[in-house]
Amino acid sequence: MNSTNDKIKGNWNELKGKLKQEYSKLTDNDLMYAEGKEDELLGRLQKGLGKTKDEVNTIIDRLSTTETTKA
């Protein structure tokens, strides 16, 4: 499992809210998370945002880092 998947599993509700705020075009369906399906979620985010896998990972890293530095 990679660090992005760990961040998704650990803080998904917070990350989902931040993604919705920053990228309003994402739908609830795009942001649906199921345990063990992190790669599927990343694929939906790639498609919904029109970004590469690396770009999506960078967004998740940035948003999750923002949260941990505020705590």
mmCIF file with all atom_site columns, all heavy atoms in Angstrom, residues 8-27:
data_model
loop_
_atom_site.group_PDB
_atom_site.id
_atom_site.type_symbol
_atom_site.label_atom_id
_atom_site.label_alt_id
_atom_site.label_comp_id
_atom_site.label_asym_id
_atom_site.label_entity_id
_atom_site.label_seq_id
_atom_site.pdbx_PDB_ins_code
_atom_site.Cartn_x
_atom_site.Cartn_y
_atom_site.Cartn_z
_atom_site.occupancy
_atom_site.B_iso_or_equiv
_atom_site.pdbx_formal_charge
_atom_site.auth_seq_id
_atom_site.auth_comp_id
_atom_site.auth_asym_id
_atom_site.auth_atom_id
_atom_site.pdbx_PDB_model_num
ATOM 1   N N   . ILE A 1 8  ? -5.762  8.285  2.394   1.00 0.00 ? 8  ILE A N   1
ATOM 2   C CA  . ILE A 1 8  ? -7.183  8.134  2.075   1.00 0.00 ? 8  ILE A CA  1
ATOM 3   C C   . ILE A 1 8  ? -7.882  7.363  3.192   1.00 0.00 ? 8  ILE A C   1
ATOM 4   O O   . ILE A 1 8  ? -8.927  7.776  3.680   1.00 0.00 ? 8  ILE A O   1
ATOM 5   C CB  . ILE A 1 8  ? -7.376  7.420  0.718   1.00 0.00 ? 8  ILE A CB  1
ATOM 6   C CG1 . ILE A 1 8  ? -6.955  8.345  -0.420  1.00 0.00 ? 8  ILE A CG1 1
ATOM 7   C CG2 . ILE A 1 8  ? -8.824  6.973  0.536   1.00 0.00 ? 8  ILE A CG2 1
ATOM 8   C CD1 . ILE A 1 8  ? -6.896  7.670  -1.770  1.00 0.00 ? 8  ILE A CD1 1
ATOM 9   N N   . LYS A 1 9  ? -7.303  6.267  3.611   1.00 0.00 ? 9  LYS A N   1
ATOM 10  C CA  . LYS A 1 9  ? -7.916  5.442  4.643   1.00 0.00 ? 9  LYS A CA  1
ATOM 11  C C   . LYS A 1 9  ? -8.003  6.177  5.964   1.00 0.00 ? 9  LYS A C   1
ATOM 12  O O   . LYS A 1 9  ? -8.993  6.072  6.677   1.00 0.00 ? 9  LYS A O   1
ATOM 13  C CB  . LYS A 1 9  ? -7.124  4.149  4.830   1.00 0.00 ? 9  LYS A CB  1
ATOM 14  C CG  . LYS A 1 9  ? -7.276  3.180  3.699   1.00 0.00 ? 9  LYS A CG  1
ATOM 15  C CD  . LYS A 1 9  ? -6.430  1.964  3.911   1.00 0.00 ? 9  LYS A CD  1
ATOM 16  C CE  . LYS A 1 9  ? -7.153  0.999  4.809   1.00 0.00 ? 9  LYS A CE  1
ATOM 17  N NZ  . LYS A 1 9  ? -6.497  -0.321 4.861   1.00 0.00 ? 9  LYS A NZ  1
ATOM 18  N N   . GLY A 1 10 ? -6.977  6.934  6.313   1.00 0.00 ? 10 GLY A N   1
ATOM 19  C CA  . GLY A 1 10 ? -6.913  7.566  7.616   1.00 0.00 ? 10 GLY A CA  1
ATOM 20  C C   . GLY A 1 10 ? -7.805  8.776  7.800   1.00 0.00 ? 10 GLY A C   1
ATOM 21  O O   . GLY A 1 10 ? -8.363  8.988  8.863   1.00 0.00 ? 10 GLY A O   1
ATOM 22  N N   . ASN A 1 11 ? -7.946  9.588  6.782   1.00 0.00 ? 11 ASN A N   1
ATOM 23  C CA  . ASN A 1 11 ? -8.639  10.879 6.925   1.00 0.00 ? 11 ASN A CA  1
ATOM 24  C C   . ASN A 1 11 ? -9.668  11.114 5.832   1.00 0.00 ? 11 ASN A C   1
ATOM 25  O O   . ASN A 1 11 ? -9.847  12.245 5.408   1.00 0.00 ? 11 ASN A O   1
ATOM 26  C CB  . ASN A 1 11 ? -7.622  12.024 6.857   1.00 0.00 ? 11 ASN A CB  1
ATOM 27  C CG  . ASN A 1 11 ? -6.557  11.931 7.896   1.00 0.00 ? 11 ASN A CG  1
ATOM 28  O OD1 . ASN A 1 11 ? -6.810  11.531 9.014   1.00 0.00 ? 11 ASN A OD1 1
ATOM 29  N ND2 . ASN A 1 11 ? -5.350  12.293 7.542   1.00 0.00 ? 11 ASN A ND2 1
ATOM 30  N N   . TRP A 1 12 ? -10.329 10.085 5.360   1.00 0.00 ? 12 TRP A N   1
ATOM 31  C CA  . TRP A 1 12 ? -11.137 10.253 4.165   1.00 0.00 ? 12 TRP A CA  1
ATOM 32  C C   . TRP A 1 12 ? -12.224 11.304 4.312   1.00 0.00 ? 12 TRP A C   1
ATOM 33  O O   . TRP A 1 12 ? -12.452 12.112 3.418   1.00 0.00 ? 12 TRP A O   1
ATOM 34  C CB  . TRP A 1 12 ? -11.724 8.933  3.657   1.00 0.00 ? 12 TRP A CB  1
ATOM 35  C CG  . TRP A 1 12 ? -12.523 9.198  2.430   1.00 0.00 ? 12 TRP A CG  1
ATOM 36  C CD1 . TRP A 1 12 ? -13.843 9.001  2.241   1.00 0.00 ? 12 TRP A CD1 1
ATOM 37  C CD2 . TRP A 1 12 ? -12.051 9.817  1.217   1.00 0.00 ? 12 TRP A CD2 1
ATOM 38  N NE1 . TRP A 1 12 ? -14.218 9.432  0.995   1.00 0.00 ? 12 TRP A NE1 1
ATOM 39  C CE2 . TRP A 1 12 ? -13.129 9.945  0.354   1.00 0.00 ? 12 TRP A CE2 1
ATOM 40  C CE3 . TRP A 1 12 ? -10.808 10.279 0.799   1.00 0.00 ? 12 TRP A CE3 1
ATOM 41  C CZ2 . TRP A 1 12 ? -13.018 10.502 -0.917  1.00 0.00 ? 12 TRP A CZ2 1
ATOM 42  C CZ3 . TRP A 1 12 ? -10.698 10.836 -0.463  1.00 0.00 ? 12 TRP A CZ3 1
ATOM 43  C CH2 . TRP A 1 12 ? -11.791 10.938 -1.295  1.00 0.00 ? 12 TRP A CH2 1
ATOM 44  N N   . ASN A 1 13 ? -12.954 11.336 5.425   1.00 0.00 ? 13 ASN A N   1
ATOM 45  C CA  . ASN A 1 13 ? -14.046 12.303 5.567   1.00 0.00 ? 13 ASN A CA  1
ATOM 46  C C   . ASN A 1 13 ? -13.532 13.733 5.473   1.00 0.00 ? 13 ASN A C   1
ATOM 47  O O   . ASN A 1 13 ? -14.155 14.583 4.828   1.00 0.00 ? 13 ASN A O   1
ATOM 48  C CB  . ASN A 1 13 ? -14.809 12.083 6.868   1.00 0.00 ? 13 ASN A CB  1
ATOM 49  C CG  . ASN A 1 13 ? -15.668 10.851 6.811   1.00 0.00 ? 13 ASN A CG  1
ATOM 50  O OD1 . ASN A 1 13 ? -16.126 10.456 5.742   1.00 0.00 ? 13 ASN A OD1 1
ATOM 51  N ND2 . ASN A 1 13 ? -15.893 10.228 7.943   1.00 0.00 ? 13 ASN A ND2 1
ATOM 52  N N   . GLU A 1 14 ? -12.403 14.013 6.092   1.00 0.00 ? 14 GLU A N   1
ATOM 53  C CA  . GLU A 1 14 ? -11.815 15.355 6.016   1.00 0.00 ? 14 GLU A CA  1
ATOM 54  C C   . GLU A 1 14 ? -11.336 15.658 4.602   1.00 0.00 ? 14 GLU A C   1
ATOM 55  O O   . GLU A 1 14 ? -11.577 16.757 4.078   1.00 0.00 ? 14 GLU A O   1
ATOM 56  C CB  . GLU A 1 14 ? -10.664 15.480 6.999   1.00 0.00 ? 14 GLU A CB  1
ATOM 57  C CG  . GLU A 1 14 ? -11.104 15.402 8.442   1.00 0.00 ? 14 GLU A CG  1
ATOM 58  C CD  . GLU A 1 14 ? -9.939  15.278 9.400   1.00 0.00 ? 14 GLU A CD  1
ATOM 59  O OE1 . GLU A 1 14 ? -8.818  15.687 9.041   1.00 0.00 ? 14 GLU A OE1 1
ATOM 60  O OE2 . GLU A 1 14 ? -10.159 14.767 10.502  1.00 0.00 ? 14 GLU A OE2 1
ATOM 61  N N   . LEU A 1 15 ? -10.644 14.711 3.995   1.00 0.00 ? 15 LEU A N   1
ATOM 62  C CA  . LEU A 1 15 ? -10.159 14.912 2.634   1.00 0.00 ? 15 LEU A CA  1
ATOM 63  C C   . LEU A 1 15 ? -11.312 15.114 1.660   1.00 0.00 ? 15 LEU A C   1
ATOM 64  O O   . LEU A 1 15 ? -11.235 15.959 0.764   1.00 0.00 ? 15 LEU A O   1
ATOM 65  C CB  . LEU A 1 15 ? -9.312  13.717 2.187   1.00 0.00 ? 15 LEU A CB  1
ATOM 66  C CG  . LEU A 1 15 ? -7.896  13.653 2.736   1.00 0.00 ? 15 LEU A CG  1
ATOM 67  C CD1 . LEU A 1 15 ? -7.264  12.303 2.413   1.00 0.00 ? 15 LEU A CD1 1
ATOM 68  C CD2 . LEU A 1 15 ? -7.058  14.774 2.168   1.00 0.00 ? 15 LEU A CD2 1
ATOM 69  N N   . LYS A 1 16 ? -12.365 14.339 1.820   1.00 0.00 ? 16 LYS A N   1
ATOM 70  C CA  . LYS A 1 16 ? -13.521 14.454 0.925   1.00 0.00 ? 16 LYS A CA  1
ATOM 71  C C   . LYS A 1 16 ? -14.105 15.858 0.996   1.00 0.00 ? 16 LYS A C   1
ATOM 72  O O   . LYS A 1 16 ? -14.406 16.465 -0.033  1.00 0.00 ? 16 LYS A O   1
ATOM 73  C CB  . LYS A 1 16 ? -14.579 13.407 1.302   1.00 0.00 ? 16 LYS A CB  1
ATOM 74  C CG  . LYS A 1 16 ? -15.803 13.458 0.411   1.00 0.00 ? 16 LYS A CG  1
ATOM 75  C CD  . LYS A 1 16 ? -16.721 12.277 0.637   1.00 0.00 ? 16 LYS A CD  1
ATOM 76  C CE  . LYS A 1 16 ? -17.359 12.292 1.971   1.00 0.00 ? 16 LYS A CE  1
ATOM 77  N NZ  . LYS A 1 16 ? -18.427 11.273 2.105   1.00 0.00 ? 16 LYS A NZ  1
ATOM 78  N N   . GLY A 1 17 ? -14.248 16.392 2.192   1.00 0.00 ? 17 GLY A N   1
ATOM 79  C CA  . GLY A 1 17 ? -14.773 17.748 2.338   1.00 0.00 ? 17 GLY A CA  1
ATOM 80  C C   . GLY A 1 17 ? -13.892 18.786 1.673   1.00 0.00 ? 17 GLY A C   1
ATOM 81  O O   . GLY A 1 17 ? -14.369 19.694 0.993   1.00 0.00 ? 17 GLY A O   1
ATOM 82  N N   . LYS A 1 18 ? -12.585 18.638 1.825   1.00 0.00 ? 18 LYS A N   1
ATOM 83  C CA  . LYS A 1 18 ? -11.649 19.581 1.203   1.00 0.00 ? 18 LYS A CA  1
ATOM 84  C C   . LYS A 1 18 ? -11.677 19.470 -0.313  1.00 0.00 ? 18 LYS A C   1
ATOM 85  O O   . LYS A 1 18 ? -11.618 20.481 -1.016  1.00 0.00 ? 18 LYS A O   1
ATOM 86  C CB  . LYS A 1 18 ? -10.241 19.341 1.721   1.00 0.00 ? 18 LYS A CB  1
ATOM 87  C CG  . LYS A 1 18 ? -10.059 19.750 3.158   1.00 0.00 ? 18 LYS A CG  1
ATOM 88  C CD  . LYS A 1 18 ? -8.654  19.463 3.607   1.00 0.00 ? 18 LYS A CD  1
ATOM 89  C CE  . LYS A 1 18 ? -8.449  19.881 5.031   1.00 0.00 ? 18 LYS A CE  1
ATOM 90  N NZ  . LYS A 1 18 ? -7.066  19.700 5.453   1.00 0.00 ? 18 LYS A NZ  1
ATOM 91  N N   . LEU A 1 19 ? -11.752 18.239 -0.812  1.00 0.00 ? 19 LEU A N   1
ATOM 92  C CA  . LEU A 1 19 ? -11.831 18.050 -2.264  1.00 0.00 ? 19 LEU A CA  1
ATOM 93  C C   . LEU A 1 19 ? -13.098 18.687 -2.818  1.00 0.00 ? 19 LEU A C   1
ATOM 94  O O   . LEU A 1 19 ? -13.069 19.333 -3.871  1.00 0.00 ? 19 LEU A O   1
ATOM 95  C CB  . LEU A 1 19 ? -11.784 16.565 -2.617  1.00 0.00 ? 19 LEU A CB  1
ATOM 96  C CG  . LEU A 1 19 ? -10.410 15.911 -2.538  1.00 0.00 ? 19 LEU A CG  1
ATOM 97  C CD1 . LEU A 1 19 ? -10.545 14.392 -2.522  1.00 0.00 ? 19 LEU A CD1 1
ATOM 98  C CD2 . LEU A 1 19 ? -9.542  16.352 -3.699  1.00 0.00 ? 19 LEU A CD2 1
ATOM 99  N N   . LYS A 1 20 ? -14.225 18.530 -2.130  1.00 0.00 ? 20 LYS A N   1
ATOM 100 C CA  . LYS A 1 20 ? -15.491 19.130 -2.584  1.00 0.00 ? 20 LYS A CA  1
ATOM 101 C C   . LYS A 1 20 ? -15.401 20.652 -2.595  1.00 0.00 ? 20 LYS A C   1
ATOM 102 O O   . LYS A 1 20 ? -15.927 21.297 -3.489  1.00 0.00 ? 20 LYS A O   1
ATOM 103 C CB  . LYS A 1 20 ? -16.643 18.687 -1.688  1.00 0.00 ? 20 LYS A CB  1
ATOM 104 C CG  . LYS A 1 20 ? -17.179 17.330 -2.011  1.00 0.00 ? 20 LYS A CG  1
ATOM 105 C CD  . LYS A 1 20 ? -18.351 17.012 -1.105  1.00 0.00 ? 20 LYS A CD  1
ATOM 106 C CE  . LYS A 1 20 ? -19.432 16.349 -1.881  1.00 0.00 ? 20 LYS A CE  1
ATOM 107 N NZ  . LYS A 1 20 ? -20.576 15.983 -1.046  1.00 0.00 ? 20 LYS A NZ  1
ATOM 108 N N   . GLN A 1 21 ? -14.750 21.222 -1.579  1.00 0.00 ? 21 GLN A N   1
ATOM 109 C CA  . GLN A 1 21 ? -14.602 22.671 -1.520  1.00 0.00 ? 21 GLN A CA  1
ATOM 110 C C   . GLN A 1 21 ? -13.731 23.187 -2.660  1.00 0.00 ? 21 GLN A C   1
ATOM 111 O O   . GLN A 1 21 ? -14.048 24.188 -3.286  1.00 0.00 ? 21 GLN A O   1
ATOM 112 C CB  . GLN A 1 21 ? -13.980 23.101 -0.187  1.00 0.00 ? 21 GLN A CB  1
ATOM 113 C CG  . GLN A 1 21 ? -14.906 22.990 0.978   1.00 0.00 ? 21 GLN A CG  1
ATOM 114 C CD  . GLN A 1 21 ? -14.208 23.335 2.288   1.00 0.00 ? 21 GLN A CD  1
ATOM 115 O OE1 . GLN A 1 21 ? -12.995 23.509 2.351   1.00 0.00 ? 21 GLN A OE1 1
ATOM 116 N NE2 . GLN A 1 21 ? -14.991 23.418 3.350   1.00 0.00 ? 21 GLN A NE2 1
ATOM 117 N N   . GLU A 1 22 ? -12.633 22.513 -2.901  1.00 0.00 ? 22 GLU A N   1
ATOM 118 C CA  . GLU A 1 22 ? -11.671 22.984 -3.900  1.00 0.00 ? 22 GLU A CA  1
ATOM 119 C C   . GLU A 1 22 ? -12.068 22.621 -5.322  1.00 0.00 ? 22 GLU A C   1
ATOM 120 O O   . GLU A 1 22 ? -11.764 23.347 -6.261  1.00 0.00 ? 22 GLU A O   1
ATOM 121 C CB  . GLU A 1 22 ? -10.285 22.422 -3.578  1.00 0.00 ? 22 GLU A CB  1
ATOM 122 C CG  . GLU A 1 22 ? -9.189  23.112 -4.340  1.00 0.00 ? 22 GLU A CG  1
ATOM 123 C CD  . GLU A 1 22 ? -7.811  22.847 -3.765  1.00 0.00 ? 22 GLU A CD  1
ATOM 124 O OE1 . GLU A 1 22 ? -7.665  22.708 -2.536  1.00 0.00 ? 22 GLU A OE1 1
ATOM 125 O OE2 . GLU A 1 22 ? -6.876  22.786 -4.567  1.00 0.00 ? 22 GLU A OE2 1
ATOM 126 N N   . TYR A 1 23 ? -12.727 21.484 -5.492  1.00 0.00 ? 23 TYR A N   1
ATOM 127 C CA  . TYR A 1 23 ? -13.092 20.992 -6.820  1.00 0.00 ? 23 TYR A CA  1
ATOM 128 C C   . TYR A 1 23 ? -14.587 20.687 -6.832  1.00 0.00 ? 23 TYR A C   1
ATOM 129 O O   . TYR A 1 23 ? -15.009 19.534 -6.752  1.00 0.00 ? 23 TYR A O   1
ATOM 130 C CB  . TYR A 1 23 ? -12.279 19.739 -7.177  1.00 0.00 ? 23 TYR A CB  1
ATOM 131 C CG  . TYR A 1 23 ? -10.795 19.979 -7.146  1.00 0.00 ? 23 TYR A CG  1
ATOM 132 C CD1 . TYR A 1 23 ? -10.028 19.623 -6.039  1.00 0.00 ? 23 TYR A CD1 1
ATOM 133 C CD2 . TYR A 1 23 ? -10.155 20.579 -8.230  1.00 0.00 ? 23 TYR A CD2 1
ATOM 134 C CE1 . TYR A 1 23 ? -8.660  19.857 -6.011  1.00 0.00 ? 23 TYR A CE1 1
ATOM 135 C CE2 . TYR A 1 23 ? -8.793  20.815 -8.209  1.00 0.00 ? 23 TYR A CE2 1
ATOM 136 C CZ  . TYR A 1 23 ? -8.055  20.453 -7.091  1.00 0.00 ? 23 TYR A CZ  1
ATOM 137 O OH  . TYR A 1 23 ? -6.702  20.696 -7.077  1.00 0.00 ? 23 TYR A OH  1
ATOM 138 N N   . SER A 1 24 ? -15.383 21.710 -6.955  1.00 0.00 ? 24 SER A N   1
ATOM 139 C CA  . SER A 1 24 ? -16.834 21.568 -6.850  1.00 0.00 ? 24 SER A CA  1
ATOM 140 C C   . SER A 1 24 ? -17.441 20.691 -7.942  1.00 0.00 ? 24 SER A C   1
ATOM 141 O O   . SER A 1 24 ? -18.559 20.213 -7.792  1.00 0.00 ? 24 SER A O   1
ATOM 142 C CB  . SER A 1 24 ? -17.502 22.940 -6.853  1.00 0.00 ? 24 SER A CB  1
ATOM 143 O OG  . SER A 1 24 ? -17.193 23.632 -8.054  1.00 0.00 ? 24 SER A OG  1
ATOM 144 N N   . LYS A 1 25 ? -16.697 20.442 -9.020  1.00 0.00 ? 25 LYS A N   1
ATOM 145 C CA  . LYS A 1 25 ? -17.245 19.603 -10.085 1.00 0.00 ? 25 LYS A CA  1
ATOM 146 C C   . LYS A 1 25 ? -17.256 18.119 -9.720  1.00 0.00 ? 25 LYS A C   1
ATOM 147 O O   . LYS A 1 25 ? -17.890 17.318 -10.397 1.00 0.00 ? 25 LYS A O   1
ATOM 148 C CB  . LYS A 1 25 ? -16.490 19.823 -11.394 1.00 0.00 ? 25 LYS A CB  1
ATOM 149 C CG  . LYS A 1 25 ? -15.032 19.424 -11.367 1.00 0.00 ? 25 LYS A CG  1
ATOM 150 C CD  . LYS A 1 25 ? -14.372 19.749 -12.696 1.00 0.00 ? 25 LYS A CD  1
ATOM 151 C CE  . LYS A 1 25 ? -12.873 19.529 -12.649 1.00 0.00 ? 25 LYS A CE  1
ATOM 152 N NZ  . LYS A 1 25 ? -12.253 19.906 -13.901 1.00 0.00 ? 25 LYS A NZ  1
ATOM 153 N N   . LEU A 1 26 ? -16.583 17.735 -8.632  1.00 0.00 ? 26 LEU A N   1
ATOM 154 C CA  . LEU A 1 26 ? -16.605 16.340 -8.199  1.00 0.00 ? 26 LEU A CA  1
ATOM 155 C C   . LEU A 1 26 ? -17.979 16.006 -7.618  1.00 0.00 ? 26 LEU A C   1
ATOM 156 O O   . LEU A 1 26 ? -18.548 16.778 -6.861  1.00 0.00 ? 26 LEU A O   1
ATOM 157 C CB  . LEU A 1 26 ? -15.533 16.086 -7.136  1.00 0.00 ? 26 LEU A CB  1
ATOM 158 C CG  . LEU A 1 26 ? -14.093 16.129 -7.618  1.00 0.00 ? 26 LEU A CG  1
ATOM 159 C CD1 . LEU A 1 26 ? -13.142 16.014 -6.433  1.00 0.00 ? 26 LEU A CD1 1
ATOM 160 C CD2 . LEU A 1 26 ? -13.824 15.020 -8.626  1.00 0.00 ? 26 LEU A CD2 1
ATOM 161 N N   . THR A 1 27 ? -18.472 14.851 -7.966  1.00 0.00 ? 27 THR A N   1
ATOM 162 C CA  . THR A 1 27 ? -19.776 14.409 -7.461  1.00 0.00 ? 27 THR A CA  1
ATOM 163 C C   . THR A 1 27 ? -19.586 13.491 -6.251  1.00 0.00 ? 27 THR A C   1
ATOM 164 O O   . THR A 1 27 ? -18.477 13.011 -5.987  1.00 0.00 ? 27 THR A O   1
ATOM 165 C CB  . THR A 1 27 ? -20.545 13.630 -8.544  1.00 0.00 ? 27 THR A CB  1
ATOM 166 O OG1 . THR A 1 27 ? -19.829 12.409 -8.811  1.00 0.00 ? 27 THR A OG1 1
ATOM 167 C CG2 . THR A 1 27 ? -20.688 14.437 -9.828  1.00 0.00 ? 27 THR A CG2 1
#
